[in-house]
Amino acid sequence: MPMQNTHPTLIRMIPLLFVFLWSTGFIGAKYALPFVEPFYLLFLRMVLTIFVFLALCLLFKAKWPPMRLAGHQMVSGALIHGVYLGGVFAAIKLGMPAGVAAIIVGIQPILTALISWQLFSDALRPMQWLGLGLGLVGVVVVVFSTQLQDEVSLTWPALIASIAALLGISIGTLYQKRFSGGVDLLTGSVWQYVSTAVLMAVLAWSFETREVTWDIQLILALGWLVFGLSVSAVLLLMYMIREGEASKVAAYFYLVPLVACVEAWLLFDEDLPPLAIAASVLTVLGVYLVLKKPASAK
């Protein structure tokens, strides 16, 4: 949707709003998963989201892309939504603690910057590399100090699933940046969710029983995952990818574990030790260094 006439202050608020919305995905999943298996939950979420986006496309008379660009959207959607979410959910289902999964996926900004640097000459300044390093250290300390209190036993299947999630979100972000030019955000999202729904259907019908215990908690969580995450947060993500450098967009993901920890502390009374608070400052500093424009560009 065109945003040329949007107030500059609102434009600057988009990354912060995105971080908040994206972080609530972990909270929504925690509320929903006791009542449904992960792949089937994602399948239901994608199907509902497709109907919402089709309604938005009709309302705003969005332009549908040609099939070649629609194919690119389906690839990026399968990576960003399918492989990433499916990998994280599968890793947790296979016994990996959520904190360990967050650490592995938290490497995404580093991996995205490295891939972007190699493939697209999206060079980073030394100060930005320092910011990426500080952000990574901050995320690791936050997650370890808040969630990795007990002894952890990792399995190879869980590790492979989490690595697949990391690769999915990293490669998908760059793919979307490379091939999303000129595609309407609404119709492009429809194609992305179609491919994700197909992927989740294959996984759910292959590995799960698809049994659901319908509870008000599940219904509310599913509603939030659809409207708060799949609609609002993803549209903001696609907009940021289209308008900014891929490595800078990826840096915002550093803030997600921090915000999620705060939300878990408020909602579930999970501990937030002083070390995690100090590490959060380091994370914010890292993001600032990555996003800060050089003096010559001001």
Side-chain angles (χ1 to χ4, degrees), residues 128-153:
Q128 289 178 302
W129 282 110
L130 175 61
L132 288 169
L134 292 177
L136 178 61
V137 171
V139 167
V140 171
V141 173
V142 167
V143 176
F144 263 108
S145 60
T146 55
Q147 299 187 34
L148 301 184
Q149 304 293 332
D150 301 324
E151 185 177 352
V152 176
S153 177

Side-chain angles (χ1 to χ4, degrees), residues 12-223:
R12 289 193 292 269
M13 290 295 294
I14 284 177
L16 299 179
L17 179 59
F18 164 76
V19 169
F20 166 73
L21 291 175
W22 196 267
S23 67
T24 62
F26 298 96
I27 304 301
K30 188 167 184 176
Y31 276 120
L33 282 175
F35 307 97
V36 60
E37 295 165 298
F39 293 144
Y40 195 57
L41 169 62
L42 290 171
F43 171 74
L44 294 174
R45 171 180 168 181
M46 297 306 142
V47 171
L48 292 174
T49 303
I50 289 172
F51 283 108
V52 173
F53 269 92
L54 286 174
L56 291 174
C57 290
L58 291 175
L59 178 63
F60 291 99
K61 298 179 180 180
K63 182 180 178 180
W64 290 90
M67 289 307 300
R68 180 181 64 84
L69 293 179
H72 288 311
Q73 292 298 307
M74 294 181 74
V75 172
S76 61
L79 290 168
I80 294 176
H81 308 305
V83 179
Y84 168 67
L85 291 175
V88 170
F89 278 50
I92 295 174
K93 179 183 178 182
L94 291 168
M96 175 176 285
V100 176
I103 289 173
I104 296 174
V105 178
I107 303 174
Q108 182 235 341
I110 298 293
L111 183 59
T112 300
L114 289 174
I115 297 174
S116 180
W117 173 47
Q118 289 292 324
L119 297 183
F120 308 126
S121 299
D122 191 10
L124 297 176
R125 302 184 309 276
M127 192 61 66
Q128 289 178 302
W129 282 110
L130 175 61
L132 288 169
L134 292 177
L136 178 61
V137 171
V139 167
V140 171
V141 173
V142 167
V143 176
F144 263 108
S145 60
T146 55
Q147 299 187 34
L148 301 184
Q149 304 293 332
D150 301 324
E151 185 177 352
V152 176
S153 177
L154 299 178
T155 63
W156 276 109
L159 186 60
I160 292 173
S162 62
I163 293 175
L166 169 62
L167 293 174
I169 189 66
S170 300
I171 298 174
T173 299
L174 293 171
Y175 192 97
Q176 176 70 13
K177 176 64 178 178
R178 176 67 176 82
F179 295 105
S180 65
V183 177
D184 186 279
L185 292 179
L186 292 177
T187 55
S189 295
V190 170
W191 286 114
Q192 289 189 10
Y193 286 122
V194 166
S195 64
T196 306
V198 171
L199 177 59
M200 291 301 107
V202 171
L203 293 173
W205 263 262
S206 298
F207 303 107
E208 296 181 342
T209 63
R210 303 175 305 284
E211 295 180 358
V212 181
T213 302
W214 290 105
D215 183 271
I216 187 61
Q217 180 173 315
L218 171 61
I219 295 173
L220 292 176
L222 185 58

Side-chain angles (χ1 to χ4, degrees), residues 257-269:
L258 166 64
V259 178
C261 286
V262 174
E263 291 166 350
W265 172 60
L266 293 174
L267 296 174
F268 306 115
D269 199 27

